[in-house]
Structures are given as C-alpha cells and as structure tokens.
Amino acid sequence: MSRLDSAIRRLEAQRACLDQACAAIDRRPGPVLELGLGNGRTYDHLRERLTDPDRWPIYVFERKVAAHPDCIPPDDRLYLGDFHDTLPRAAEDFRGQVVLVHADMGSGDEAANARLAAFVSQALAPALAPGGLVLSDQVLRLPGAERRPLPDGVAEGRYHLYRALEQ
C-alpha cells in the first residue's frame, strides 16, 4: 500500500472513530481532551461535532502550536508544553470528569511511541469520567478501562477505542 493510501485510510478511520464517539457522548456533557493539535484538523472536526462549548469544552495539549490559524484553541483551553508536564496537572484538574479523549500522538519512532503511550495511559486514567471514551492512534493500557469495538469499516489496529469502566 502506498503511503498516500495508508494516510487516507488512517484519516478515514480517525473520522469514523471521532464521529462514533461524539454520537456516544451526545447526552453526556463534560470536558473533551485533544492530545496533539498538529495542524488542527481533528480539533476542528470535534468543534463541528460538539457544537456547544459550554457542554463540551475542548482542551488541547500541544508542545508548540503550528496549526492553521482558524484551528487554534483559545488560550484558556490550551495546555502548552510537554505531555509529561501538562497532562498530570490536567488530570488532577479534571479528575473523573473527562467524557472524551482523542490522542493522536504517534511518530515514526516505535520505541518512543511505546514510552509515550505508557506514560499517557497512567497519567490520563484519573481524569476519565465513568464511561468516558478514549480514541488513540497508539495502543494504550488504561487502568480501569476496556477496549471497545471499532466502527464498521475500520481495520483492527488502525485506531484504538477504550471506555472507562463504570464505578
């Protein structure tokens, strides 16, 4: 498969997972976390799907903002810096409240991806509301969460979906 075809499939999978997750939290207000802003495509997609920022405030985590100007969150919704510094603080701020997390944080370095996924799994878990959803491009091992089926048409391993257990 060409790199272009692979990118298209990844983006289609990402959109299908985001759409399914947004529909699933339709009646559950709470904070939404976007781990990795990149150029802002998925942040913009979340804003379109979750149209009421009072019900679903979207908080973005990014080391250095380089997104399209229309896709940059307000300063009070941006955690700027390394995940190792920002995510533990946010997990404490949002303890037990987060209804949706989208983590698009992979790089071409598999070892670095595994280390970051392990850190994010532990740091993120306390922030999740019971039944909260996590979408990730990386395999996570979230304490107190279970893997969930992917939307139809999304190949296993292309994306990962987790749900925090009810307490």
Side-chain angles (χ1 to χ4, degrees):
M1 171 185 321
S2 73
R3 290 180 55 89
L4 176 60
D5 287 333
S6 181
I8 290 168
R9 286 188 185 174
R10 181 181 63 80
L11 292 173
E12 288 173 342
Q14 192 176 61
R15 181 183 57 202
C17 290
L18 287 167
D19 288 350
Q20 176 178 292
C22 288
I25 67 164
D26 183 53
R27 292 197 169 95
R28 293 197 63 196
V32 173
L33 307 183
E34 170 79 348
L35 305 185
L37 178 62
N39 66 20
R41 280 189 302 255
T42 56
Y43 170 69
D44 187 52
H45 193 74
L46 286 167
R47 287 188 307 183
E48 276 199 11
R49 296 299 184 265
L50 305 172
T51 57
D52 185 345
D54 292 326
R55 284 181 55 101
W56 300 287
I58 303 169
Y59 295 88
V60 175
F61 295 74
E62 183 60 82
R63 180 184 306 270
K64 181 180 176 189
V65 174
H68 186 280
D70 291 341
C71 300
I72 297 173
D75 288 343
D76 65 339
R77 301 269 171 93
L78 177 63
Y79 282 81
L80 195 58
D82 188 278
F83 287 164
H84 291 88
D85 299 323
T86 58
L87 193 53
R89 185 175 79 236
E92 189 57 38
D93 292 346
F94 298 122
R95 182 172 286 279
Q97 300 175 50
V98 174
V99 296
L100 177 61
V101 177
H102 176 244
D104 187 4
M105 55 193 182
S107 67
D109 183 337
E110 291 303 315
N113 288 346
R115 287 190 303 274
L116 184 57
F119 168 77
V120 167
S121 294
Q122 295 303 310
L124 184 61
L128 296 175
L133 299 175
V134 178
L135 307 173
S136 177
D137 66 334
Q138 302 297 307
V139 173
L140 301 178
R141 288 178 176 48
L142 291 159
E146 63 185 358
R147 288 199 64 152
R148 301 297 300 157
L150 295 167
D152 289 342
V154 176
E156 192 64 37
R158 175 64 66 177
Y159 233 72
H160 310 279
L161 175 59
Y162 306 89
R163 182 179 172 275
L165 299 173
E166 302 288 337
Q167 315 229 338

